[in-house]
Amino acid sequence: MTATSFASVSLVPPLVLVCLEEGSRTRRFVEQTGGFAVNVLAEDQRSLAEHFSSRKPKSFAHVPYTSGILGAPLIAGALASLECRTEQMIDAGDHVVAIARVISVITRAGNPLAYFSRAYRHLG
């Protein structure tokens, strides 16, 4: 999925939050596995962003990735991949706020893929 709401909650301990649509497959996955990964895509990964943001069924069949400690997909070429263990799920309207502890971080240099005001933008 493509998250529209992702934020840092705390530095000590390292906590983040992500908002998950109530009836989504991703929400069920996070509840069942107890964790998730956040992949910050690079500027040249726009096709992946479009794939995961569509309403069509999503698949990792043609996406290069490795499995993290918790089994969540870490996308090859991403600028950052954060593995997170869920600590709390809070119902919030038609979404659930998942608060999770960051247990692993992988980073690399490059320009981030940015989407703002209904268009992809270049930062740099």
Side-chain angles (χ1 to χ4, degrees):
M1 71 164 249
T2 298
T4 55
S5 296
F6 170 75
S8 172
V9 174
S10 168
L11 292 177
V12 180
L15 298 175
V16 296
L17 71 77
V18 65
C19 295
L20 307 170
E21 194 173 347
E22 177 68 37
S24 70
R25 284 181 26 191
T26 303
R27 180 204 173 174
R28 289 189 301 275
F29 174 80
V30 169
E31 286 181 334
Q32 291 168 359
T33 64
F36 56 90
V38 175
N39 293 280
V40 179
L41 299 181
E43 192 172 50
D44 63 353
Q45 293 179 305
R46 179 176 171 171
S47 62
L48 286 175
E50 290 170 344
H51 169 70
F52 287 111
S53 66
S54 76
R55 289 280 182 195
K56 298 176 186 175
K58 292 146 184 83
S59 167
F60 276 86
H62 301 290
V63 177
Y65 74 93
T66 58
S67 293
I69 298 165
L70 301 174
L74 308 178
I75 296 175
L79 290 187
S81 294
L82 291 76
E83 287 190 83
C84 307
R85 180 173 285 121
T86 307
E87 296 210 345
Q88 195 173 11
M89 301 281 279
I90 303 165
D91 289 329
D94 61 358
H95 280 67
V96 172
V97 179
I99 298 176
R101 182 180 300 253
V102 178
I103 60 170
S104 173
V105 176
I106 299 168
T107 63
R108 74 175 184 92
N111 291 324
L113 180 64
Y115 187 81
F116 174 73
S117 191
R118 299 181 185 251
Y120 289 95
R121 310 290 180 174
H122 175 74
L123 302 178

